[in-house]
Amino acid sequence: MSHLARRTNEHHEPWSVTVGRRSSETARVSTKMLWFLVFSVWLLAVCESTACPCERPELCEPIRPQRSFEVFVFDVGGKTWKSYNWSMVTTVAAFGKYDAELMCHAHSKGARVVLKGDVPLSYIVDQSNRTAWIREKVDLAKSQFMDGINIDIEQAVEKGSPEYHALSDLVKETTEAFHRDIPGSQVSFDVAWSPKCVDKRCYDYVTIAESCDLLFVMSYDEQSQIAGDCIAMANAPLSQTLRAYDDYLDLKIDPKKLVMGVPWYGYDYPCVNLSQEGICYIDKVPFRGAPCSDAAGRQKPYKWIMKQMNSSSSGRMWDDEQKAPYFYYKDQKGEVHQVWYDDPQSICPKANSVRAKGLRGVGMWNGNILDYGDEPAAREQAALMWNALLGC
Ligand SMILES: *[C@@H]1O[C@H](CO)[C@@H](O)[C@H](O)[C@H]1NC(C)=O
Ligand SMILES: *[C@@H]1O[C@H](CO)[C@@H](O)[C@H](O)[C@H]1NC(C)=O
Ligand SMILES: *[C@@H]1O[C@H](CO)[C@@H](O)[C@H](O)[C@H]1NC(C)=O
Ligand SMILES: *[C@@H]1O[C@H](CO)[C@@H](O)[C@H](O)[C@H]1NC(C)=O
């Protein structure tokens, strides 16, 4: 945006100087010249604002067809998108730096690329501020040949507050603006794993779901508010994860508005002590009213987890209650860590229930964190993670 504006101005400056100097020649020539120059500047401006970076200009067209099953990928930057399984990807939410090559590639595969949308809610309670924010996002999406926006507002909101209503209005007005200005575009909204005021996100989920194309349900970070013992647990235990979808559906939210988000990362918890039964007690780190939380651990990508597991003391273990894998390792200081994560075995039953519950599709946070190296073991591992998204 600012880049385009600056370049247009730069073209204006030298031209006006030239016109000034030429005016000492005959008036007719300089008038003709002036019009020619004005035309040139206009042409440059038009070409610059619409220049398609793709090999074929039609790849800059927004994606229109709706596919019945969504595979929604968050991309956080870099070039590992080249290794995605593009036969299944339908939407890429570009959370990294804008990458025109990614946009062209996604479009060549019929996949949408959408912006990230985040704004402090206190700013958009004001209607004209809200309208300005939406206008800016639509213009940005258009200038980058993108196909919508993923609204990622993870802020605490009190039910009935001005922010509560402003958020619903923001989603509705954003959807209207995108659908009007970019035909076929998609507006999605990220929600917590449960609609029950998780992390104090007391949003009007029903209105928000009705007002946009889909909700991306972040079925992870489910230990962000630990009520009982402060112990390490699975990022997304199976039964708790699935029960929360029933909670969304009980609100009469259309299942076709829900995309299940699974984690491609896990948590590495240093254990302050380890019980004989293998329970890892963790530091007390409060979060939004709860005495402890997963913030006592560190998020780790699947790629790191697989390497660490290989050199762990325990090897891969399976918790049959939470239906999730975990392992132990000792760090250089001799401190024991417990690592909880998701792998194809824990993702498969979740993905199966996407079909069983008739949801819109599946997705992950995030697409970049597998090992996309050339070694056969890495390739196999990445393929299994992608394929697990479709169930088993
Ligand atoms: C409007 O948004 C700006 C940031 O873009 C913010 O600084 C300002 O406080 C907002 N105004 C109102 C009235 O909320
Ligand atoms: C481990 O720590 C927890 C919490 O600090 C404490 O309640 C528990 O008794 C400790 N267990 C052992 C085996 O030391
Ligand atoms: C784990 O270790 C084995 C043998 O040491 C090796 O063949 C395999 O590639 C390793 N896997 C990963 C993910 O590092
Ligand atoms: C990509 O996904 C498709 C299913 O859409 C599957 O048939 C194919 O084997 C996958 N490709 C790889 C390399 O795993």
Side-chain angles (χ1 to χ4, degrees), residues 177-191:
F178 269 87
H179 285 181
R180 185 182 58 235
D181 289 4
I182 307 177
S185 62
Q186 179 200 78
V187 177
S188 55
F189 185 87
D190 300 337
V191 296

Side-chain angles (χ1 to χ4, degrees), residues 306-307 310 377 381:
M306 287 296 99
K307 288 228 165 67
N310 225 7
Q381 203 179 77

Side-chain angles (χ1 to χ4, degrees), residues 42-60:
W42 172 81
L43 197 66
L44 270 169
V46 167
C47 288
E48 271 196 8
S49 64
T50 59
C52 173
C54 308
E55 227 169 279
R56 289 180 284 127
E58 66 269 25
L59 292 181
C60 282

